[in-house]
Amino acid sequence: MSDAGRKDFSTKAKEEMTPDSSKSTQQKMKEAFTDTGDKVARGAQPDSDKSTGQSLTDKMGRSKDREVHGSTGGSIIDKTKNALGMGDKH
């Protein structure tokens, strides 16, 4: 079960399992758009306010993003604040 407006685990799994070579350009564009929206929603809402399933799925997604992109962690909102000079000043 996913939270409102979010992709559920089965949709994400199906998209990952289907090779890009068998997807139409329209399908690829739709997935890229909905993935971006899902990542924004993932970062905007604290895990404590999510359902258990959505929280676990988001944690796995963040872990995969860090592995693939070498990220240091932090939410999209925090990264945006830091880029604009409005983040925490440690």
Side-chain angles (χ1 to χ4, degrees):
M1 183 82 184
S2 67
D3 293 348
R6 301 289 308 277
K7 284 186 177 182
D8 62 16
F9 180 77
S10 62
T11 300
K12 289 180 183 183
K14 182 180 175 185
E15 289 175 355
E16 288 290 325
M17 292 174 56
T18 306
D20 282 345
S21 60
S22 67
K23 296 176 184 175
S24 69
T25 302
Q26 182 179 4
Q27 284 175 308
K28 291 177 190 177
M29 289 175 56
K30 178 185 174 196
E31 285 180 18
F33 181 77
T34 57
D35 285 347
T36 300
D38 201 57
K39 285 181 181 182
V40 169
R42 176 178 82 188
Q45 183 180 21
D47 284 344
S48 60
D49 292 346
K50 299 174 187 173
S51 66
T52 302
Q54 193 70 61
S55 177
L56 291 172
T57 301
D58 287 353
K59 287 176 184 175
M60 288 188 302
R62 284 191 297 271
S63 176
K64 179 182 175 188
D65 287 349
R66 281 191 294 272
E67 183 181 310
V68 171
H69 302 293
S71 173
T72 58
S75 72
I76 291 173
I77 304 234
D78 292 336
K79 289 177 184 179
T80 303
K81 285 180 183 177
N82 290 337
L84 297 173
M86 298 167 41
D88 279 341
K89 310 276 193 266
H90 295 305

